[in-house]
């Protein structure tokens, strides 16, 4: 810790930790809410952690909220991770943000310590540690695996005997590491540490590497033993029928080149999401290519290997081999998300920067490089919130009728400066209203729709539901039992049962049919057109559903309306299945 706690470093830590905190402060100051990515987090992972928290508090029946009661507690990832206990102590939103902050601060500290060990300047170490921590915002729910990866590299490079503190830290890291998401960092740990020790002409301590690996693997297996047990004794699971679509060589190579330089997609949402990585990675990759530095080229080779690994596995020939694999081995091959290895790339990008930080070519382009790195750092803090905040503040609907008329008049009279001035004036005048009225699917309150689902709960009580056009995990979050949902691991037999409910619905959209049959993580009704609702509610009733929560009005002879536009919400309808 001497590398971290130093009077000369404190001012850098204060500056860069403040920048990290702006990820939370910007949306909170502007609209009074914290904003997060909804995909895979709000619609699944947080709901899992919410139920795990309830189980820890003694509510063992809460697992029966899922999938007609056919999901077992030991199917849940992270149920034995110590960090998940936060969900038993605090409210779910508070627990999530505490975890997020803990993981990011850990990431920052670990990378700073590694950077200083590699003789990087305090300023550059703080900068690159902050960039690494900023890149973690979509992965904090996975635990400490990637966050502490730099610390593991540091331990091997340091090459000192362990004391009790080190064993405790390694055990805690292992207990809070996701088996599926982070186990693949261990081979990378060997190669990266070997490269740095070879460059400094130091002997590699294989005994130390195996000691670290054994401790980590032991405690990773311990905290993920429920998943291992499930795979061995509770299958078969839906993953046994995964079918991967391969890419041809030409398309694969194009994607590989694009991903190597982190060129963003021009889809508006993903463009802003990937843009910070482009500002960060693109200049580092380009400078590294011309650095004439052996260490840099070796690190680039590992980056290319990680990128190519995913590319090769997704080629048509290998995809076909994966699809044809059967039994337990086939299940494991299909289940391992090899793309998770790319979670380690931010560590590699940081190490690349360290390796080029003293090269002549960086000195030539230092002003441009540092400008892009700081631009990356700022956009990292805004990449999740920029879309919901932009939609909200730019929306014409937030103005009063008089304000709208005034803006129209300025526009038609081509008084554009007056138009811009009035827009800012009206925004400033209504700032307090924004905080009260802001509702977005990127927030806990907006996504989980607590008030409206509390109203639904008063009707359905302990009965089970199915959702049409709405996320069923929102119902679970509001303590409503469901037959549908979004799950990483559930029985293959249940997938077949649920398919009877949506068989005709899937025929309306071949893409959804292919998704469900070949993948099937989302056990949804797949209704997105109110004119084409072909869900078999009779089969839903057989599976245990007594009510239908719908985004749309439904006309069906076995559905009796309970409430329409429930709780004055225009997109919420409740029906009872009468058979």
């Amino acid at each position: 810790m001497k590398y971290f706690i130093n009077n000369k470093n404190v001012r850098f830590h204060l500056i860069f930790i403040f920048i990290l905190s702006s990820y939370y402060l910007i949306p909170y100051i502007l609209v009074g809410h914290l904003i997060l990515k909804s995909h895979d987090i709000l619609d699944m992972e947080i709901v899992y952690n919410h139920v795990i928290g309830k189980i820890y508090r003694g509510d063992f029946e809460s697992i029966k909220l899922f999938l007609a009661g056919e999901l077992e507690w030991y199917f849940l990832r992270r149920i034995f991770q110590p960090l998940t206990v936060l969900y038993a102590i605090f409210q779910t939103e508070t627990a999530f943000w505490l975890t997020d902050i803990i993981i990011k601060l850990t990431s920052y500290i670990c990378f700073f310590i590694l950077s200083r060990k590699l003789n990087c300047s305090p300023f550059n170490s703080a900068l690159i540690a902050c960039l690494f921590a900023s890149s973690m915002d979509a992965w904090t729910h996975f635990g400490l695996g990637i966050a502490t990866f730099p610390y593991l590299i540091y331990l091997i490079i340091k090459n000192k005997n362990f004391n009790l503190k080190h064993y405790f830290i390694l055990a805690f890291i292992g207990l809070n590491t996701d088996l599926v998401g982070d186990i693949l960092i261990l081979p990378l740990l060997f190669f990266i540490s070997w490269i740095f020790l070879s460059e400094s002409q130091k002997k590699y301590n294989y005994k130390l590497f195996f000691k670290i690996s054994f401790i980590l693997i032991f405690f990773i297996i311990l905290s993920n033993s429920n998943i291992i047990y499930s795979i061995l004794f509770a299958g078969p699971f839906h993953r046994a029928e995964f079918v991967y679509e391969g890419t041809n060589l030409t398309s694969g190579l194009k994607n590989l080149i694009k991903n190597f330089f982190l060129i963003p997609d021009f889809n508006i949402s993903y463009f802003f999401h990937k843009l910070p990585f482009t500002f960060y990675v693109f200049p580092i990759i380009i400078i590294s290519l011309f650095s004439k530095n052996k260490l840099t080229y070796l690190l680039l080779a590992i980056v290319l290997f990680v990128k190519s690994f995913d590319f090769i596995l997704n080629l048509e020939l290998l995809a076909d081999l994966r699809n044809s694999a059967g039994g337990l081995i086939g299940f494991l091959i299909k289940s391992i998300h090899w793309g998770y290895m790319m979670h380690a790339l931010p560590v590699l990008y940081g190490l690349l920067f360290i390796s080029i930080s003293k090269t002549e070519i960086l000195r030539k382009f230092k002003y441009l490089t540092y400008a892009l790195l700081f631009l990356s750092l700022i956009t990292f803090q805004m990449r999740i919130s920029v879309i919901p905040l932009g939609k909200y503040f730019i929306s014409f609907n937030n103005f009063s009728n008089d304000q709208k008329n005034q803006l129209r008049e300025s526009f038609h009279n081509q008084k554009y400066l007056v138009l811009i001035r009035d827009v800012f004036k009206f925004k400033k005048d209504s700032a307090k209203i924004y905080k009260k009225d802001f509702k977005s699917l990127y927030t806990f309150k907006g996504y989980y729709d607590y008030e409206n689902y509390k109203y639904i709960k008063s009707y359905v009580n302990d009965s089970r539901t199915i959702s049409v056009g709405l996320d069923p995990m929102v119902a679970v979050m509001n303590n409503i039992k469901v037959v549908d949902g979004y799950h990483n691991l559930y029985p293959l037999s249940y997938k077949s049962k649920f398919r009877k409910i949506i068989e005709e619905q899937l025929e309306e959209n071949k893409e959804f049919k292919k998704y469900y049959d070949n993948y099937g993580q989302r056990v949804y009704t797949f209704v997105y057109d109110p004119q084409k609702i072909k869900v078999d509610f009779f089969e839903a009733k057989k599976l245990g559903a007594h009510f239908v929560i719908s985004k749309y009005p439904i006309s069906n002879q076995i559905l009796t309306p309970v409430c329409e536009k429930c709780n004055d919400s225009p997109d919420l309808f409740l029906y009872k299945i009468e058979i």
Side-chain angles (χ1 to χ4, degrees), residues 459-491:
Y459 284 105
V460 303
N461 295 313
D462 288 330
S463 297
R464 206 167 287 279
T465 66
I466 187 170
S467 295
V468 173
L470 296 167
D471 182 359
M473 298 296 266
V474 173
V476 175
M477 195 70 176
N478 286 277
N479 203 35
I480 296 172
K481 295 177 180 178
V482 301
V483 299
D484 39 1
Y486 181 14
H487 297 279
N488 284 315
L489 201 66
Y490 69 93

Side-chain angles (χ1 to χ4, degrees), residues 212-455:
I212 291 172
S213 298
F214 175 78
I215 295 170
L216 287 174
I217 290 171
F218 176 81
F219 284 100
I220 290 171
I221 290 173
L222 189 63
S223 67
N224 291 271
S225 56
N226 60 303
I227 300 297
I228 297 170
Y229 171 84
S230 300
I231 291 170
L232 292 176
F233 303 110
F237 293 100
H238 76 289
R239 288 175 173 268
E241 290 190 346
F242 272 13
V243 176
Y244 292 93
E245 287 190 62
T247 56
N248 61 57
L249 185 60
T250 304
S251 299
L253 282 172
K254 286 180 180 177
N255 288 330
L256 177 61
I257 294 169
K258 188 177 177 181
N259 289 331
F260 184 72
F261 292 101
L262 262 292
I263 300 169
D265 295 318
F266 287 93
N267 174 292
I268 187 68
S269 296
Y270 284 100
F271 177 77
F272 282 109
H273 192 71
K274 297 289 186 183
L275 195 58
F277 281 105
T278 304
F279 289 142
Y280 172 27
V281 174
F282 188 77
I284 289 177
I285 294 291
I286 295 297
I287 291 172
S288 297
L289 289 171
F290 294 96
S291 66
K292 298 180 181 179
N293 183 296
K294 180 184 175 183
L295 174 63
T296 304
Y297 288 151
L298 287 171
L299 289 171
L300 273 176
I302 296 181
V303 172
L304 184 60
F305 168 77
V306 173
K307 297 278 188 180
S308 300
F309 193 74
D310 191 57
F311 151 69
I312 291 168
L313 282 176
N314 285 299
L315 289 175
E316 289 174 337
L317 176 61
L318 287 178
D320 290 342
L321 290 174
R322 291 170 77 184
N323 294 335
S324 62
L328 179 60
I329 299 300
F331 175 83
L332 293 174
I333 291 173
K334 292 176 182 180
S335 296
I336 295 174
H337 197 318
W338 300 99
Y340 280 159
M341 187 183 285
M342 288 197 282
H343 287 183
L345 285 173
V347 177
L348 287 164
Y349 296 141
L351 293 173
L352 274 174
F353 176 77
I354 293 171
S355 71
I356 64 173
S357 61
K358 296 178 182 178
T359 61
E360 185 62 32
I361 189 169
L362 182 63
R363 292 190 185 98
K364 290 180 180 179
F365 297 98
K366 66 178 181 179
Y367 294 112
L368 176 61
T369 303
Y370 280 101
L372 288 172
L373 290 180
F374 271 96
L375 186 59
S376 170
L377 196 54
I378 299 304
T379 51
F380 260 126
Q381 314 316 317
M382 301 170 60
R383 66 173 180 153
I384 304 298
S385 60
V386 65
I387 297 297
L389 290 179
K391 286 180 177 178
Y392 185 74
F393 282 108
I394 295 172
S395 175
F396 200 57
N397 294 327
N398 290 319
F399 297 118
S400 67
N401 288 331
D402 290 339
Q403 289 172 336
K404 290 177 184 179
N405 291 332
Q406 187 173 332
L407 293 174
R408 287 192 189 99
E409 184 179 348
S410 297
F411 179 78
H412 290 305
N413 293 333
Q414 297 182 352
K415 296 179 179 179
Y416 299 122
L417 291 177
V418 175
L419 175 69
I420 294 170
R421 183 201 66 192
D422 287 343
V423 167
F424 280 100
K425 181 177 181 295
F426 298 155
K427 296 295 183 186
K428 185 177 180 181
D429 292 342
S430 56
K432 293 182 180 179
I433 297 175
Y434 287 150
K435 291 186 180 183
K436 293 179 181 178
D437 293 348
F438 180 76
K439 187 175 182 180
S440 169
L441 294 178
Y442 288 76
T443 66
F444 272 76
K445 185 177 180 180
Y447 195 88
Y448 295 126
D449 203 7
Y450 296 117
E451 288 301 319
N452 286 330
Y453 273 79
K454 182 179 179 182
Y455 187 84

